[in-house]
Amino acid sequence: MDQVLTPDFTGKERTIDTGAAELIDKAHRMGIETGFDRLARMLPQCGFGLLGVCCRRCYNGPCRVSLFEEGPRRGVCGASADTIVARNFLETLTAGAAPHAEHAREVALTLLEAAEGRAPYPIRSPEKLRQLAAGLGIEAEGVADRELAAAVAHRALADFQQQDGVIGWLGVHAPAEARERWDKLGVLPTNAHLEIARSATRTAMGCDADPVNLLLGAVTMGLVDGYDGCHLSSDLQDVLFGMPQLVRTRARLGVLEAEQVNIAVHGHVPVLSEKVLEAAGRLKEEAREAGAQGINVVGVCCTGNELMERHGVPLASNFAGQELVLMTGACDAMVVDVQCIMPGLAEVAKCFHTAFITTLPYVKIPGATHVEFSPARADQAAEEIVRRAIAAYRRRNPALVTIPDDTVEMWGGFTPENILGALGKVNAADPLGPLVDAVAAGDILGAVAIVGCTGFKVRHDWANTELARHLLRHNVLVLANGCGGHSLARHGFTVPGGKALEYCGASLRGVLEAVGQANGLPSLPPVLHVGSCVDNARVADLLVALAARLGVAVRDLPVAGSSPEVQSPKVLSIGAYFLSLGVDVHVGLSLQTEGSPFVHRFLTEPAGGEEPTLDALLGSTLIVESDPARAAEKILARLRHKRQALGLKEAAVASA
Ligand code: SF4
Ligand code: MSK
């Protein structure tokens, strides 16, 4: 505990999650600092940084250029604001694509080790394996699962090695029309590592200075993230851990249990968390011997989403609430893998009995206990982690326990396959037919995926839920994943027939009820929870299928993506993937590009002017808007614009 803070805000001002608010107030009472306090102490943040005009690429700097005549207009090397902003933007995107590509590569290596009998993971979805083999053109007839898995894993790893051609996973999933456009623009990636290294090179001191060329590099990073990050991870995880299923579970901080050993899994790559869950099942008796009723595994961030959609593990919190999981005083262990793990967790853990455990050799945090994890020793490492949690439970101080009496029902696990399955109950011969008809008739205006994070600059969960409300009211079909999915689940948007149905416009509600009732439910949930960040691949697959069914390009569809509470560069690199497909993307915070009006216009202006824009090149724009109501208006305007271009009839007006 570093310091005693004087709280100058209440929990309720910083989050709309009542349990989280309670724990922010508890942290203030105990003098424990969380991200909410650290942001307050950071303000005001540097104006040059916020505009993206600060450069520290070499030791002639740091340079910060000015928007005003009287200030320096170029860095010491002569770089203009356009160059500096475009370079910073591409560097940020590279920092987003790299962890997703590493995620995918680690899963590919795990699949290979499993196939060769060197790691204890079965092939849980042979069907998905064979489907991938077919997509890759690998002969599967008469080939045993393990042999085929090794062949698929080798092809995945080739996406990190080959020196010419185009990454194989793009060949599996990309629509031909988009691929042709990317080819003409010269942005097709050859290998994920090569492109990440090239991007780091082109943004280095004294390399690429052309803002348009740098921004085209951002499109390549988007394709790397989309295909060799999201799709590759999601595909191979399905093979190893099975296809997500529709699950009904619970969410919010109240999912921790006073009488159980609570283990929070946090991070992204389920190679670890799957094994922790298995070990927790095996070691229940040891927990009972320690006086607990059992072991309760709960999810944080995206590894939480992965376990939720495959096993129904409850969701405790998303990014901004991660420290609050520890503030319950009832978290016996938090075990982390990689990405979105705040170093501040170690400081909060110190104030309680919690075992804070890092597991990867390249993700270590001062103050954490390190239990080295690798696929080959997955079972031993997972058992050691669970035993550390049980040992910590014995040290738990009941006087410090505050578990908010607050959980909500949630449903998750939607995939293109089970969405088509549900639609098939309405029209077995043409499952996409009911959706296409509803869009064509204007009963559904379009679709928006609310993805990505929560952070500290936006009131926690507020913008994600507000935007969803506005879109649903205007009959927009809403999907969600990542920490946005957590937000919407925690506020009741993912329950069939739940209260959130009241937010929906009448025509959308009619469609949700008709499809839900054909499947024995009161309705489909108003928001379909599609899983983790890398499950954006599933959203893209759904759009590709819908475009194919309509006989149009993805860029023509009235669809968009949105990250109202963006915090991670990964949102940007995934966003670049959707932009490259021609899908508009909204973000709720400045992307620090305003320091170059040229770069900002390139990203955000519609086609039609004299300058090059994303819209002219790809058919998509970036919408930067912090107010959810105004953001909804801007997104709706783009959806209507795309409907009009398709010649679709006016959509039903909002009726709620
Ligand atoms: Fe300054 Fe140029 Fe060095 Fe950047 S690369 S710090 S603008 S001299
Ligand atoms: S965890 S990237 S805060 S979604 Fe995927 Fe959440 Fe954003 Fe991390």
Side-chain angles (χ1 to χ4, degrees):
M1 208 180 306
D2 286 342
Q3 58 218 319
V4 176
L5 296 171
T6 311
D8 55 0
F9 56 82
T10 65
K12 274 193 184 146
E13 288 170 277
R14 306 309 299 268
T15 176
I16 61 165
D17 177 334
T18 46
E22 192 182 332
L23 292 171
I24 291 172
D25 293 340
K26 177 183 178 185
H28 285 173
R29 284 197 303 277
M30 291 180 71
I32 297 173
E33 195 180 56
T34 67
F36 296 94
D37 306 289
R38 287 188 294 268
L39 176 70
R41 295 163 75 85
M42 198 61 66
L43 299 174
Q45 288 176 309
C46 169
F48 292 97
L50 287 170
L51 291 171
V53 289
C54 172
C55 179
R56 43 183 292 277
R57 271 180 181 74
C58 80
Y59 293 111
N60 292 305
C63 300
R64 32 185 227 180
V65 299
S66 170
L67 291 181
F68 305 106
E69 285 302 331
E70 57 274 20
R73 304 301 300 270
R74 288 183 181 266
V76 174
C77 67
S80 66
D82 294 343
T83 297
I84 292 174
V85 170
R87 265 192 327 213
N88 287 345
F89 184 72
L90 177 54
E91 190 178 56
T92 305
L93 266 121
T94 310
H100 277 157
E102 273 304 275
H103 176 158
R105 193 181 64 87
E106 295 216 345
V107 180
L109 282 172
T110 306
L111 181 63
L112 183 61
E113 288 180 51
E116 294 176 351
R118 291 183 284 123
Y121 294 86
I123 306 295
R124 288 236 160 80
S125 179
E127 300 78 19
K128 181 74 176 233
L129 175 66
R130 279 166 200 279
Q131 192 188 320
L132 279 175
L136 289 161
I138 298 173
E139 180 54 57
E141 187 72 33
V143 182
D145 285 350
R146 281 185 180 273
E147 202 183 320
L148 196 57
V152 167
H154 279 299
R155 289 292 280 274
L157 292 169
D159 271 12
F160 298 84
Q161 291 153 356
Q162 65 187 25
Q163 296 302 309
D164 49 36
V166 176
I167 52 174
W169 247 254
L170 189 144
V172 175
H173 290 279
E177 48 85 16
R179 183 174 176 152
E180 210 175 293
R181 198 162 43 252
W182 301 330
D183 197 10
K184 280 193 193 131
L185 286 173
V187 296
L188 282 167
T190 294
N191 120 19
H193 279 177
L194 177 157
E195 301 302 347
I196 289 164
R198 182 176 286 159
S199 189
T201 304
R202 73 197 299 175
T203 56
M205 196 277 167
C207 296
D208 203 349
D210 178 342
V212 173
N213 207 37
L214 285 158
L215 293 167
L216 286 174
V219 178
T220 302
M221 275 301 104
L223 297 177
V224 167
D225 194 320
Y227 294 108
D228 274 348
C230 296
H231 280 285
L232 188 49
S233 304
S234 190
D235 282 342
L236 300 188
Q237 284 167 190
D238 285 350
V239 172
L240 278 170
F241 307 125
M243 295 299 294
Q245 302 296 329
L246 205 54
V247 294
R248 179 184 185 178
T249 181
R250 302 203 71 77
R252 289 202 182 195
L253 288 151
V255 299
L256 281 92
E257 304 265 1
E259 307 302 331
Q260 301 214 39
V261 174
N262 291 303
I263 302 177
V265 288
H266 176 17
H268 281 79
V269 187
V271 170
L272 165 72
S273 51
E274 283 273 342
K275 284 293 175 186
V276 170
L277 186 65
E278 275 178 33
R282 281 198 301 277
L283 299 179
K284 267 192 213 134
E285 205 38 57
E286 291 186 25
R288 287 193 194 109
E289 283 161 19
Q293 287 177 358
I295 303 177
N296 179 35
V297 177
V298 301
V300 180
C301 282
C302 279
T303 212
N305 282 324
E306 299 279 359
L307 290 194
M308 178 275 295
E309 67 185 354
R310 294 195 175 86
H311 306 282
V313 163
L315 295 181
S317 184
N318 54 12
F319 180 84
Q322 57 186 277
E323 290 165 301
L324 304 178
V325 177
L326 307 189
M327 280 307 309
T328 60
C331 182
D332 302 299
M334 177 175 273
V335 51
V336 301
D337 50 86
V338 62
Q339 300 173 35
C340 297
I341 296 145
M342 292 188 359
L345 286 163
E347 295 303 306
V348 183
K350 267 192 228 163
C351 304
F352 298 94
H353 67 296
T354 309
F356 177 50
I357 301 170
T358 54
T359 54
L360 297 177
Y362 57 92
V363 183
K364 293 189 177 178
I365 295 175
T369 303
H370 192 74
V371 176
E372 191 88 357
F373 177 88
S374 67
R377 62 178 301 273
D379 287 327
Q380 297 100 293
E383 288 188 5
E384 182 183 341
I385 288 163
V386 173
R387 290 200 169 104
R388 282 179 183 270
I390 295 171
Y393 171 84
R394 292 179 189 271
R395 300 192 301 271
R396 193 195 283 176
N397 179 354
L400 290 182
V401 171
T402 315
I403 302 178
D405 182 16
D406 186 20
T407 68
V408 298
E409 178 184 346
M410 68 157 292
W411 290 54
F414 282 92
T415 60
E417 292 81 357
N418 59 32
I419 292 173
L420 285 181
L423 291 168
K425 295 274 169 56
V426 179
N427 182 345
D430 178 15
L432 275 173
L435 189 57
V436 167
D437 293 346
V439 173
D443 292 339
I444 291 179
L445 176 68
V448 173
I450 296 182
V451 302
C453 321
T454 56
F456 299 103
K457 289 188 172 178
V458 180
R459 191 179 175 204
H460 177 219
D461 285 347
W462 172 75
N464 287 335
T465 50
E466 276 300 294
L467 182 74
R469 239 178 235 125
H470 286 288
L471 294 174
L472 290 172
R473 192 164 72 83
H474 286 89
N475 298 304
V476 173
L477 184 67
V478 178
L479 299 99
N481 56 4
C483 289
H486 275 259
S487 295
L488 293 162
R490 280 216 310 285
H491 295 281
F493 285 76
T494 64
V495 182
K499 193 169 165 358
L501 213 50
E502 290 168 16
Y503 304 137
C504 300
S507 58
L508 172 67
R509 183 176 179 150
V511 175
L512 295 174
E513 285 176 341
V515 180
Q517 285 163 19
N519 287 274
L521 296 170
S523 76
L524 283 183
V527 172
L528 307 182
H529 195 308
V530 195
S532 65
C533 300
V534 296
D535 286 331
N536 274 300
R538 302 187 201 277
V539 176
D541 280 342
L542 199 59
L543 299 186
V544 170
L546 192 59
R549 167 64 179 73
L550 280 162
V552 301
V554 172
R555 63 189 259 166
D556 298 326
L557 295 173
V559 297
S562 168
S563 184
E565 301 183 32
V566 52
Q567 71 81 21
S568 168
K570 292 178 286 169
V571 167
L572 230 56
S573 49
I574 297 178
Y577 168 47
F578 280 90
L579 288 166
S580 70
L581 281 168
V583 175
D584 295 323
V585 171
H586 158 251
V587 288
L589 281 176
S590 158
L591 296 183
Q592 303 174 359
T593 55
E594 287 86 347
S596 162
F598 173 80
V599 170
H600 196 65
R601 285 196 300 271
F602 178 94
L603 296 169
T604 59
E605 291 283 309
E610 287 184 359
E611 287 179 347
T613 60
L614 264 187
D615 197 20
L617 297 175
L618 297 164
S620 53
T621 64
L622 191 63
I623 299 165
V624 183
E625 175 56 65
S626 57
D627 178 76
R630 281 201 298 272
E633 278 313 313
K634 291 178 183 176
I635 294 169
L636 292 168
R638 286 289 291 182
L639 299 183
R640 291 193 184 104
H641 168 74
K642 294 213 171 183
R643 287 183 67 89
Q644 223 170 14
L646 277 175
L648 296 177
K649 77 182 247 193
E650 276 290 297
V653 281
S655 55

